[in-house]
Amino acid sequence: MRKRYLLSTSARITAALLPDLHRLYQECLGYVGGELKGNLYVQQSSEYNAFIYSAGDCFDIVVSSSIIKDFDTREIAFVIGHELGHVIFGHNEIPAGWFLSQQTQMPHELMHMISSWSKACEISADRLGLLCCGNLRSAASAFFKLVSGLCLEDSDAVIRCLSAQYDEIKAISQTQWLSDDLSTHPLIPIRYKSLELVALDVIALRGQRDKAMHRGFDVIDDQITKVLVGSEPFEDGSVLRGQEGFSLLVLCLLYVAVCDGELNESEEAFIRRISDKSGFVLNIDEVIAVCKADIRRFRDGVIPELKDMTVPSNDVIRLIEVCRQIAVVDGALNDR
């Protein structure tokens, strides 16, 4: 059925049809190695997109016609290499996109794990894309076109743009309370930053796959993990990603909110909005009702409860920032 669909909606690239593109595809296959058996198809679409159908070592790569029209040779090689990376690493064995698109009762923590795994898959596939295109500037230009739809010849400007936007994403993430991003792909500036760290070593492997790298990938992966963690609102391993941590967050928010002796409409709406976005099961109506029933008693009971909890320093910083947000949600800070 898959083959029937592709043959009816796309053009299979052969040496007779488009010799240059076919040659480029064969070149990419040579760089990634392995006994891969797959065809390249081009499908009409104004959107920049590429994907694979795979079963074991047999696969088909589909690239949109707009990529073939607008990307240069090295940029197309990056796209093809990226898709070959998914084949080489067997990423399609776990259909992350399907899991994340289903309206299931899957635990929130598991959803985050699948999302994080899928993003890591994209990072590793990008390495194969770089191996095939052989040039970080070409990879950056491909990223830039994917995110903006623009063709900019000044590669230095492209790199400055991606780097600056990564820095801004990181800064914004450090002040957000919780990630509700359950996407399958990292943000493009994050992908660029992750690729930048590994670029010299990957490019050095072109035609030298039997030689040792200048650095181990373990060291590089540690650096890339820091990039990914630094750009997430809450880190993997953070207590605030779990049910208990979320309860702690609500407790802190309510404590700050009622420091002036009341829980007003703006503060309550803020807490309910966070609860709705969290994905965790918490009877927020009951919690708020208990707080309102005896605010002084609730407030006096919070501190002893918090003293029994151990919270990493990074989580403390995030908690303080979120508490600052609820403190000013109804206007400027007051003396209480």
Side-chain angles (χ1 to χ4, degrees):
M1 291 295 291
R2 182 189 76 193
K3 186 67 68 176
R4 179 184 177 88
Y5 167 75
L6 288 175
L7 290 172
S8 63
T9 62
S10 334
R12 183 169 58 200
I13 303 305
T14 64
L17 183 64
L18 289 172
D20 290 342
L21 181 56
H22 185 265
R23 190 180 307 112
L24 179 65
Y25 177 55
Q26 296 302 315
E27 179 184 306
C28 292
L29 288 174
Y31 279 123
V32 301
E35 299 299 324
L36 299 179
K37 300 177 182 178
N39 293 302
L40 175 66
Y41 290 82
V42 175
Q43 192 172 73
Q44 193 281 324
S45 176
S46 59
E47 295 184 2
Y48 296 149
N49 192 25
F51 55 91
I52 59 168
Y53 293 109
S54 66
D57 291 335
C58 298
F59 66 93
D60 293 298
I61 294 179
V62 182
V63 179
S64 65
S65 56
S66 55
I67 286 181
I68 304 303
K69 291 177 182 178
D70 296 345
F71 285 35
D72 67 23
T73 300
R74 292 298 97 194
E75 293 163 357
I76 295 172
F78 177 77
V79 173
I80 292 174
H82 175 92
E83 298 306 323
L84 288 173
H86 287 310
V87 176
I88 289 288
F89 297 133
H91 292 158
N92 277 23
E93 294 179 10
I94 299 178
W98 183 86
F99 281 118
L100 296 177
S101 66
Q102 301 303 302
Q103 299 298 319
T104 66
Q105 297 301 313
M106 188 180 297
H108 195 70
E109 293 91 336
L110 181 56
M111 297 283 279
H112 267 289
M113 287 177 62
I114 293 173
S115 175
S116 297
W117 176 84
S118 180
K119 291 172 182 175
C121 289
E122 297 303 320
I123 296 295
S124 59
D126 284 341
R127 295 176 179 179
L128 272 293
L130 180 60
L131 182 68
C132 290
C133 80
N135 188 308
L136 181 61
R137 291 179 179 271
S138 294
S141 181
F143 280 142
F144 183 78
K145 288 178 179 178
L146 285 171
V147 78
S148 70
L150 301 175
C151 300
L152 193 63
E153 294 183 2
D154 188 344
S155 59
D156 289 332
V158 167
I159 289 174
R160 286 195 300 271
C161 171
L162 294 173
S163 297
Q165 290 185 199
Y166 165 74
D167 290 338
E168 190 166 351
I169 288 170
K170 183 177 180 180
I172 292 171
S173 298
Q174 290 174 343
T175 64
Q176 290 181 342
W177 73 276
L178 180 66
S179 173
D180 56 357
D181 174 22
L182 293 176
S183 62
T184 56
H185 288 57
L187 303 178
I188 290 292
I190 296 173
R191 289 174 64 181
Y192 169 74
K193 185 65 176 181
S194 300
L195 197 59
E196 182 183 56
L197 290 171
V198 77
L200 292 177
D201 296 284
V202 170
I203 292 172
L205 292 177
R206 285 169 61 91
Q208 304 179 61
R209 290 195 300 272
D210 57 333
K211 294 187 177 181
M213 295 178 55
H214 298 300
R215 299 180 292 165
F217 266 124
D218 289 343
V219 175
I220 299 170
D221 285 341
D222 286 343
Q223 292 178 293
I224 291 175
T225 297
K226 291 178 181 178
V227 169
L228 294 173
V229 164
S231 58
E232 287 288 340
F234 276 156
E235 304 170 3
D236 287 335
S238 163
V239 299
L240 299 171
R241 277 196 180 276
Q243 178 72 49
E244 183 179 355
F246 176 66
S247 299
L248 166 65
L249 175 62
V250 171
L251 196 64
C252 292
L253 289 174
L254 282 170
Y255 179 81
V256 174
V258 299
C259 277
D260 58 356
E262 67 172 349
L263 181 67
N264 62 40
E265 290 184 3
S266 298
E267 293 164 340
E268 182 176 339
F270 182 90
I271 293 171
R272 289 185 180 278
R273 192 159 61 247
I274 286 180
S275 180
D276 290 342
K277 290 179 63 178
S278 72
F280 295 115
V281 177
L282 180 68
N283 190 335
I284 194 66
D285 292 329
E286 180 179 342
V287 173
I288 290 177
V290 169
C291 175
K292 285 182 171 181
D294 192 335
I295 287 179
R296 174 174 291 184
R297 182 178 179 183
F298 174 84
R299 189 175 58 194
D300 292 344
V302 168
I303 296 301
E305 189 169 345
L306 292 179
K307 285 181 177 178
D308 293 333
M309 296 183 178
T310 301
V311 181
S313 58
N314 286 345
D315 285 346
V316 171
I317 293 171
R318 303 291 173 83
L319 276 171
I320 291 173
E321 173 56 33
V322 180
C323 289
R324 185 199 67 80
Q325 292 181 35
I326 195 170
V328 300
V329 73
D330 58 346
L333 283 170
N334 58 42
D335 292 338
R336 290 174 290 182

